[in-house]
């Protein structure tokens, strides 16, 4: 797709955070979620200190994964837990390839948790898949930081209690209709948080990182399960993203009807119409996509 709305470097770290978390969760299991979180943060801090202009690894993703992996192993060793587990993991974990992206499977895994509320799932995923810190989540959701921190910790404990000492294979996870519906709601919420971000720390008003990652994962969800609801959600995202360049001018929000249509991305607009499908049962995604498509098609 030839558009310059989201430069690769700008979105790289958001996607990397989720890939690292999913990959390490798949290898170490749910008993070590806190260790994985700390290890990823430490790996990024180390990259800032070590990577210099002429000292950047050719494969940043593998470098970060190996550093984070070793950090988790060291944390477990310090706690003197399960030596047999450590030996097995050292031999099985080497690197993470560009094809290894378990973010969608991890989201489906979280979506299927029956003892966790949808809001709690969204907060957990915002932190561990989309790489937002507690302060950023608070700015985006208007939920106070203490409540977010407690919610994420409760979700971790729930996951650990439900899957304690059991290995999980995220790569084999398949979603049922309910899981897909919850994943769609999560992507919808994440995208809207990014698209309508009014944080003072978000210079452009729109958090493009969140929009792009929700967009990409929704497309992946549709490619795997081919549901009309996901197709219409993706169409809705296409319509919204196509006008991001016209939504803000000199740091000020421009209302829809006052936007310069020449700045709309025609390729994304056409893609939205391509994915817009009339479903057997009308959903809010379809209705919203139809409404915005009508307004974007009318000449003023």
């Amino acid at each position: 797709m030839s558009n310059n709305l989201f430069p690769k470097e700008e979105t790289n770290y958001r996607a990397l955070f989720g890939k690292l978390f999913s990959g390490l969760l798949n290898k170490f299991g749910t008993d070590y979620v806190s260790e994985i979180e700390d290890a990823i943060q430490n790996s990024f801090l180390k990259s800032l200190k070590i990577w210099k202009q002429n000292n950047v690894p050719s494969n940043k993703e593998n470098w970060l994964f190996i550093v984070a992996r070793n950090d988790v192993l060291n944390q477990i060793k310090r706690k003197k837990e399960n030596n047999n587990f450590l030996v097995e993991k050292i031999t099985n974990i080497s690197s993470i390839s560009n094809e290894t992206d378990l973010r969608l499977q991890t989201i489906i895994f979280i979506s299927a948790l029956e003892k966790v509320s949808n809001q709690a799932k969204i907060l957990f995923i915002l932190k561990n898949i989309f790489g937002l810190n507690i302060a950023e989540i608070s700015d985006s959701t208007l939920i106070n930081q203490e409540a977010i921190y407690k919610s994420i910790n409760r979700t971790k404990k729930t996951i650990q209690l439900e899957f304690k000492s059991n290995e999980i294979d995220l790569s084999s996870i398949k979603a049922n209709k309910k899981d897909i519906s919850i994943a769609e709601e999560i992507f919808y919420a994440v995208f809207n948080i990014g698209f309508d971000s009014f944080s003072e720390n978000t210079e452009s008003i729109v958090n493009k990182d969140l929009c792009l990652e929700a967009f990409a994962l929704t497309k992946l969800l549709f490619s795997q399960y081919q549901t009309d609801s996901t197709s219409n959600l993706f169409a809705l995202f296409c319509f919204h993203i196509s006008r991001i360049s016209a939504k803000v001018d000199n740091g000020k929000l421009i209302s829809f009807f006052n936007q310069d249509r020449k700045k709309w991305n025609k390729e994304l607009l056409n893609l939205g119409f391509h994915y817009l499908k009339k479903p057997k049962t009308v959903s809010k995604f379809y209705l919203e996509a139809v409404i915005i498509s009508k307004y974007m098609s009318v000449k003023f």
Side-chain angles (χ1 to χ4, degrees):
M1 185 181 302
S2 59
N3 77 85
N4 297 316
L5 285 175
F6 305 105
K8 185 177 180 181
E9 289 300 319
E10 183 179 343
T11 62
N12 188 37
Y13 282 91
R14 294 293 189 194
L16 272 179
F17 195 103
K19 288 186 73 173
L20 291 172
F21 179 83
S22 298
L24 292 168
L25 179 66
N26 191 54
K27 296 300 183 182
F28 287 101
T30 58
D31 287 348
Y32 301 99
V33 174
S34 294
E35 287 81 0
I36 290 169
E37 290 175 332
D38 291 341
I40 294 173
Q41 294 287 356
N42 291 338
S43 70
F44 281 112
L45 288 173
K46 286 183 179 179
S47 74
L48 293 175
K49 295 178 181 179
I50 295 175
W51 295 357
K52 297 179 180 178
Q53 186 174 2
N54 297 318
N55 196 30
V56 178
S58 57
N59 191 324
K60 297 178 183 179
E61 191 168 325
N62 274 353
W63 190 96
L64 288 165
F65 183 84
I66 291 169
V67 170
R69 172 207 67 186
N70 292 340
D71 192 299
V72 175
L73 291 172
N74 287 333
Q75 289 183 66
I76 299 173
K77 285 179 181 178
R78 285 196 296 269
K79 293 182 178 180
K80 298 180 180 180
E81 293 181 11
N82 201 342
N83 291 327
N84 291 332
F85 171 84
L86 291 178
V87 172
E88 179 185 352
K89 294 304 175 184
I90 289 173
T91 58
N92 284 346
I93 304 174
S94 56
S95 62
I96 183 170
S97 69
N98 291 331
E99 291 75 30
T100 307
D101 187 349
L102 297 172
R103 287 178 297 164
L104 179 61
Q105 289 90 334
T106 302
I107 290 170
I108 291 171
F109 171 71
I110 300 300
S111 298
L113 297 173
E114 296 184 355
K115 297 180 181 179
V116 179
S117 69
N118 282 358
Q119 176 175 292
K121 291 173 184 177
I122 291 169
L123 296 178
F124 184 86
I125 288 168
L126 280 171
K127 181 179 186 296
N128 290 311
I129 300 299
F130 293 95
L132 273 68
N133 59 42
I134 301 297
E136 288 175 320
I137 296 173
S138 180
D139 287 340
S140 300
T141 61
L142 302 182
I143 301 173
N144 71 68
Q145 294 188 29
E146 183 179 358
I148 293 169
Y149 180 80
K150 289 180 178 179
S151 173
I152 291 173
N153 279 338
R154 283 195 299 270
T155 301
K156 285 194 289 188
K157 289 178 181 178
T158 300
I159 295 171
Q160 289 167 345
L161 285 172
E162 187 169 343
F163 296 92
K164 187 171 180 60
S165 301
N166 294 327
E167 291 188 6
I168 58 172
D169 181 7
L170 292 175
S171 62
S172 66
I173 286 179
K174 300 296 182 183
N176 58 35
K177 186 175 180 179
K178 182 179 178 181
D179 298 336
I180 293 171
S181 178
I182 294 174
E184 289 171 347
E185 289 292 343
I186 290 171
F187 293 145
Y188 179 74
V190 170
F191 185 91
N192 285 333
I193 287 170
F195 193 70
D196 294 321
S197 175
F198 290 96
S199 167
E200 293 179 358
N201 296 324
T202 307
E203 183 178 345
S204 65
I205 299 178
V206 177
N207 187 325
K208 295 179 181 179
D209 291 347
L210 286 185
C211 291
L212 177 64
E213 296 310 324
F215 174 86
L217 289 168
T218 300
K219 185 177 181 181
L220 182 60
L221 181 67
F222 175 73
S223 69
Q224 291 191 13
Y225 296 99
Q226 299 288 311
T227 65
D228 287 344
S229 58
T230 307
S231 184
N232 287 320
L233 178 61
F234 185 68
L236 178 63
F237 290 170
C238 288
F239 293 134
H240 283 321
I241 291 177
S242 70
R243 57 189 181 86
I244 281 181
S245 296
K247 187 179 180 183
V248 180
D249 186 23
N250 293 325
K252 295 183 179 180
L253 182 67
I254 306 300
S255 67
F256 177 86
F257 294 103
N258 291 324
Q259 290 175 9
D260 182 357
R261 293 188 168 214
K262 293 179 181 178
K263 294 182 179 180
W264 288 356
N265 187 297
K266 293 181 179 179
E267 186 178 355
L268 282 168
L269 181 59
N270 291 333
L271 194 66
F273 284 108
H274 173 76
Y275 279 93
L276 185 60
K277 302 180 185 298
K278 186 174 181 179
K280 294 179 180 179
T281 302
V282 176
S283 68
K284 67 178 179 182
F285 303 144
Y286 174 71
L287 290 176
E288 289 189 31
V290 167
I291 291 170
I292 190 64
S293 69
K294 295 296 184 182
Y295 278 117
M296 294 186 76
S297 302
V298 174
K299 295 183 179 180
F300 299 116

